[in-house]
Amino acid sequence: MISTKVFALLFAAACGVASVDGFVSSSTSRLGNIQKSNLHATTAESAPDSLALFSPCKINLFLRIIRKRPDGFHDLASLFQAVGFGDTLTLSLNNYGEADEFTCNMEGVPTDSSNLVIRALELMREKTGKTNVYFNADL
């Protein structure tokens, strides 16, 4: 699945936020090296008010855990190759709710606040100051 920071960067750009504190644009970050065909956002044809984000799967050719960070995540050394399939996350505004709603067609994927999609939406609100905007997310 897509990392929280990458998702927040992409979604902030999709929301028209010129800059997000703590993030840089893809043209000056390591994201600039990812081929556009492997990472893209489109407006879904069936729902013009939605945003579909494709995140390619990857194969880890090498992965080493360096250390556990204070935030509970780990610093990694990794070499990976993106492959031609992955997940598509579809987002739309939740005009009537007061919370994000997350659905997934794969059994066992948490749909509560422990999911990185929900955490990324919370981070996006925190970084943009748009605290009253909520989303429906489907993976």
Side-chain angles (χ1 to χ4, degrees), residues 8 16 22 30-31 41 45 50 59 61 70 106 111 124 134:
R30 288 180 285 164
L31 279 179
E45 292 178 20
S50 68
I59 297 173
L61 303 172
M106 180 179 277
T111 57
M124 185 271 308
Y134 298 99

Side-chain angles (χ1 to χ4, degrees), residues 39-136:
L39 181 63
H40 61 276
T42 59
T43 301
E45 292 178 20
S46 60
D49 294 335
S50 68
L51 176 69
L53 299 169
F54 177 75
S55 177
C57 291
K58 64 179 178 158
I59 297 173
N60 284 313
L61 303 172
F62 169 80
L63 177 66
R64 181 175 179 187
I65 298 172
I66 304 298
R67 69 176 179 93
K68 188 171 184 177
R69 302 184 322 211
D71 63 6
F73 291 96
H74 295 86
D75 285 331
L76 305 174
S78 176
L79 175 63
F80 63 88
Q81 174 64 50
V83 293
F85 56 93
D87 295 322
T88 299
L89 175 67
T90 304
L91 296 164
S92 60
L93 285 174
N94 184 348
N95 293 319
Y96 304 105
E98 294 188 16
D100 297 312
E101 293 183 18
F102 178 70
T103 57
C104 181
N105 63 359
M106 180 179 277
E107 189 174 320
V109 173
T111 57
D112 60 9
S113 62
S114 67
N115 189 287
L116 290 179
V117 172
I118 298 296
R119 291 171 63 184
L121 290 170
E122 292 167 357
L123 179 62
M124 185 271 308
R125 272 191 294 280
E126 176 185 318
K127 295 293 183 178
T128 62
K130 296 181 183 258
T131 57
N132 60 347
V133 177
Y134 298 99
F135 297 91
N136 297 313

